[in-house]
Amino acid sequence: MSAHNIRLAGIAVSRGIVIGRALALARAPLQVEHHIIPGAQVPAELERLQRGFDLAIGELRRVQQGLADEAAYADLHTLLDAHAMLLEDEALQQGAAHYVRERHYNAEWALMEQLAELSRDFDAMDDSYLRERKADLEQLVARVLQCMRLAPGVAPPPMTVLPSGADASLDVTSLPPRPRDALPQIVVAHDLAPADMLHFRRGMFAGFVTDAGSKASHTAIVARSLDIPAVVGMKDASARIAHNDLLIVHADAGLVILNPDEATLQTYRGLQAQMLQARQRQQRLRYTPAITRDGCQIELLANVELPADCEAAVAAGAVGVGLFRSEFLFLGRHDSLPGEEEQYRAYRAAIQAMQGLPVTIRTIDIGADKLLEVCGHALPSQEQSALGLRAIRWSLANPELFRTQLRALLRAAVHGPLNILFPMLSQMGEVRQTLELLEQAREELRARNVEFGPVRLGAMVEVPAAALMLRQFLPHFDFISIGSNDLAQYTLAVDRAQASVAHLFDATHPAVLHLIANVIAQCKAEGKSVCLCGEIAGDPHITHLLLGLGLQSFSMNPAQLLAVKERILQADTGVLAPWAQQVLELEDTQAALEPSG
């Protein structure tokens, strides 16, 4: 008889509770035949290899086009685009073809050899988001292998739920039989591909649990975007959970309960009902101004990845965009980087989508990685580091590219209120260089008689040096944005994507809170606005503490906005301020994130 109430801990990446039956997808290893082909067979083998790529890429593009007009799935659309570009990469295609031509490997073996080589490059990257793309590549190669095995003229089966590393898709019309209790299905797999998320969009599955993944993984990004209860990074969940097992997935807590007893089921059904009532209640707050009980007006902004995301931000009641990440224009570009005109159109689209509300666009925050290598702007792998040439450092090392982005931003400012945000500033020399290049960009537009608009300038505080140098920074900027994720990572010397130390990452660590509190206080003293745009900005459990520290501007994923607004409407900053100062003096702040009484 199975044990009851087995609690499995993972990484919380979304919200909600789902109770259902496990749809357990076994992970199949990528196994291929290895043999040497005769020289006369090389052209046919190269053709088979290319056909596999063409079919897999075409499939991704078709799925992506089907989402083109659905703003709610902008994150999924972007991930599919990034996956298609990974498959289109010459390093992957030509590398595999090289093994066929020069070593006479069969196509499957050649592709696996090139995958192994590229995987080593991904492993060398310090950026957690980029390291996660290795798993994406493995999934894509599995799909190419499947397409290569099809006879000429045979179309690949539709993309369906595909376990990472599996070499065949599962037909959702012939899944294993389900119990008759009509509970929803919860996918349990080693990992999922973005295209698999279409099944969640269609309501086929109610949640998912994966062994792999982190807060930066594609599964986490899509779970938040589609508001699906999910827990990732569980390591061995797929080995411990059997098909049709009864599960409770408590996404907010990063918790999965296997085979819950009746008492536990009743408890979580009650919590589920409370959450549903809370969401319904929060929906009524969409047009309610975010004002505390003592009359303090709070600015609630949205973090967005794409111009298409702006529609969701407006729908959630955001009063602007607090962080628009411009990296989507640059990532996965292997032949050329986006020019001024392409960037201008993207920034203009975001500004226009916000219908006159302010938009803050962060200049490129990217490291010196393989994604830019073909363009001649990467460093050797041994020089890639989270402490190396990234963000503003990369921009200042490539002034022509930086001025191109700045000109595009200045031009876009004609179409609505625009703020430009500079990431990872740490010293005054960088501030001066940045402002000089901005002025050069203005002069270049004047020389071409190209119209440009006024902009407000902001500095990101995401390294301790910026927090400590803030008094020197403030005269040069109109506002400050606190990136609490990186600020915590650099302050605590913890890479939260590293499983061995991820438990040490804590954005509410006393040292991090002291830095945040000091930044807020200094900005207020100088009459400069300050916004917080890290993960804790969208965590309702931390809202009261941030209000008590004096924060009046929050930027978060649009899906989190109404829950935070509800907390703001219940707050009295006059009561919270002295309590927050007491929290700063504690050794363990986690135990006291809510005021007593």
Side-chain angles (χ1 to χ4, degrees), residues 97-108:
H98 170 81
Y99 283 112
V100 176
R101 280 193 302 266
E102 302 302 323
R103 301 191 187 182
H104 289 199
Y105 289 177
N106 63 302
E108 289 88 350

Side-chain angles (χ1 to χ4, degrees), residues 18 44 76 103 143 181 262 343 425 451 462 465 488 502 556:
V18 60
L76 181 52
R103 301 191 187 182
R143 191 60 173 167
D181 55 19
E262 188 58 35
Q343 292 190 56
L425 291 165
E451 186 181 9
E462 48 192 339
M556 66 201 72

Side-chain angles (χ1 to χ4, degrees), residues 13 128-130 132-133 213-221 224 497:
V13 295
S128 60
Y129 179 86
L130 297 174
E132 288 288 345
R133 307 291 71 81
S214 70
K215 285 184 179 289
S217 66
H218 65 253
T219 43
I221 293 168
R224 286 191 291 269

Side-chain angles (χ1 to χ4, degrees), residues 102-398:
E102 302 302 323
R103 301 191 187 182
H104 289 199
Y105 289 177
N106 63 302
E108 289 88 350
W109 185 9
L111 183 54
M112 291 301 293
E113 284 294 307
Q114 187 60 17
L115 171 62
E117 184 175 323
L118 294 176
S119 293
R120 288 190 290 271
D121 291 335
F122 278 102
D123 287 337
M125 295 177 184
D126 284 287
D127 186 282
S128 60
Y129 179 86
L130 297 174
R131 279 199 306 273
E132 288 288 345
R133 307 291 71 81
K134 173 186 170 182
D136 297 5
L137 188 60
E138 291 171 347
Q139 293 174 335
L140 294 168
V141 165
R143 191 60 173 167
V144 174
L145 288 169
Q146 183 184 21
C147 291
M148 282 167 52
R149 293 165 183 167
L150 297 171
V154 176
M159 297 189 89
T160 56
V161 175
L162 175 68
S164 175
D167 60 3
S169 292
L170 289 176
D171 182 352
V172 294
T173 63
S174 59
L175 290 170
R178 299 174 58 184
R180 296 182 179 180
D181 55 19
L183 287 172
Q185 287 188 301
I186 300 167
V187 172
V188 179
H190 177 73
D191 202 1
L192 295 169
D196 301 336
M197 299 300 176
L198 292 175
H199 299 297
F200 294 96
R201 168 180 168 244
R202 294 166 182 156
M204 294 183 68
F205 308 116
F208 66 85
V209 176
T210 60
D211 300 333
S214 70
K215 285 184 179 289
S217 66
H218 65 253
T219 43
I221 293 168
V222 176
R224 286 191 291 269
S225 177
L226 302 186
D227 211 8
I228 303 165
V231 179
V232 305
M234 299 200 70
K235 296 186 175 64
D236 62 350
S238 63
R240 300 181 65 177
I241 299 173
H243 186 68
N244 283 335
D245 273 348
L246 184 60
L247 300 179
I248 297 172
V249 175
H250 188 184
D252 305 73
L255 175 67
V256 173
I257 301 177
L258 173 60
N259 295 323
D261 59 22
E262 188 58 35
T264 303
L265 282 171
Q266 290 303 320
T267 297
Y268 276 89
R269 284 178 182 135
L271 287 173
Q272 201 176 35
Q274 290 174 24
M275 285 184 173
L276 178 60
Q277 291 173 358
R279 291 196 188 195
Q280 293 171 341
R281 184 178 66 245
Q282 290 161 8
Q283 283 298 320
R284 296 194 290 269
L285 302 177
R286 178 181 163 190
Y287 299 110
T288 303
I291 301 175
T292 64
R293 290 165 58 189
D294 56 329
C296 182
Q297 184 156 353
I298 305 300
E299 183 180 54
L300 292 182
L301 306 169
N303 295 343
V304 302
E305 306 279 348
L306 290 166
D309 296 347
C310 293
E311 185 175 327
V314 172
V319 297
V321 170
L323 177 63
F324 181 102
R325 301 176 175 95
S326 62
E327 292 79 59
F328 81 96
L329 287 165
F330 296 81
L331 291 174
R333 303 289 289 252
H334 305 284
D335 50 354
S336 63
L337 294 180
E340 179 182 327
E341 195 63 28
E342 181 183 349
Q343 292 190 56
Y344 160 68
R345 289 195 300 268
Y347 305 145
R348 179 186 63 188
I351 292 169
Q352 291 175 334
M354 290 306 294
Q355 306 171 22
L357 297 172
V359 176
T360 298
I361 298 179
R362 184 180 66 189
T363 60
I364 184 171
D365 185 0
I366 194 169
D369 53 71
K370 292 291 180 181
L371 291 170
L372 301 179
E373 183 177 20
V374 178
C375 307
H377 301 290
L379 290 178
S381 60
Q382 66 268 23
E383 295 186 30
Q384 297 169 19
S385 170
L387 302 178
L389 193 65
R390 55 160 293 200
I392 197 65
R393 299 171 182 176
W394 188 89
S395 294
L396 295 178
N398 295 278

